[in-house]
Amino acid sequence: DFKFELPSAGIREFRLTLPVLRDPAGALATMLAAGQEAHLSVMRGEVQQFADRFEKEHGLRLDFRAAAVTALIELSRKEGRTARAICEDRFKDFPYGLKLIARNTGRTTFTIGKVAVDRPDKTLSLWITESYGRQA
């Protein structure tokens, strides 16, 4: 089982220890869970790196909610692309649109929820329309 499960889990090191010999199935489950959590941590980091770079380049802060990060990770897995690549694709129009909103409202922080991940263009359009309604 180790031979088939570990390579696809991205685990690069395997140590044969007494606990592994005593409970191979339990050890494998533990290793796979640890590998899964490490992979999730990397993908969460990619989303945060995207947000940090976006703020540095555009002066606008993206605050990704947990549900949005989860949705991005699911898309990453489904499409076989990095979470960062998914963000770059999904939010490609956000610099221009959010700058317009910032100009209209002074707002510089934007909360990104699951709906924004699922329908980024519709969300951005709605936010822009609302920003014109709030102009003084």
Side-chain angles (χ1 to χ4, degrees):
D1 291 340
F2 288 91
K3 180 170 112 176
F4 298 108
E5 296 289 338
L6 294 183
S8 64
I11 296 172
R12 297 182 180 187
E13 183 177 302
F14 173 72
R15 292 186 184 200
L16 187 57
T17 62
L18 191 55
V20 171
L21 289 172
R22 286 186 178 149
D23 182 15
L28 179 59
T30 299
M31 294 170 96
L32 293 175
Q36 175 76 6
E37 185 53 41
H39 186 65
L40 288 173
S41 180
V42 167
M43 287 194 282
R44 285 186 207 108
E46 289 176 358
V47 174
Q48 187 57 52
Q49 288 171 356
F50 173 81
D52 292 344
R53 192 181 91 240
F54 192 94
E55 183 172 10
K56 185 176 182 179
E57 289 179 7
H58 305 290
L60 303 166
R61 184 168 180 255
L62 301 179
D63 181 19
F64 284 89
R65 294 293 184 222
V69 174
T70 299
L72 289 164
I73 290 170
E74 288 173 8
L75 284 169
S76 172
R77 286 181 174 156
K78 180 180 176 185
E79 296 180 18
R81 299 189 302 151
T82 65
R84 184 173 172 169
I86 299 292
C87 288
E88 289 171 356
D89 183 51
R90 293 264 160 174
F91 305 115
K92 67 184 176 293
D93 296 329
F94 274 44
Y96 174 76
L98 296 183
K99 285 179 184 177
L100 187 61
I101 295 167
R103 188 184 72 211
N104 290 344
T105 66
R107 180 177 165 198
T108 59
T109 299
F110 299 87
T111 301
I112 306 298
K114 186 177 182 313
V115 172
V117 172
D118 293 341
R119 295 185 298 266
D121 294 338
K122 186 173 182 175
T123 299
L124 184 59
S125 179
L126 178 65
W127 289 351
I128 291 169
T129 302
E130 288 174 349
S131 79
Y132 280 103
R134 293 185 185 153
Q135 282 182 309

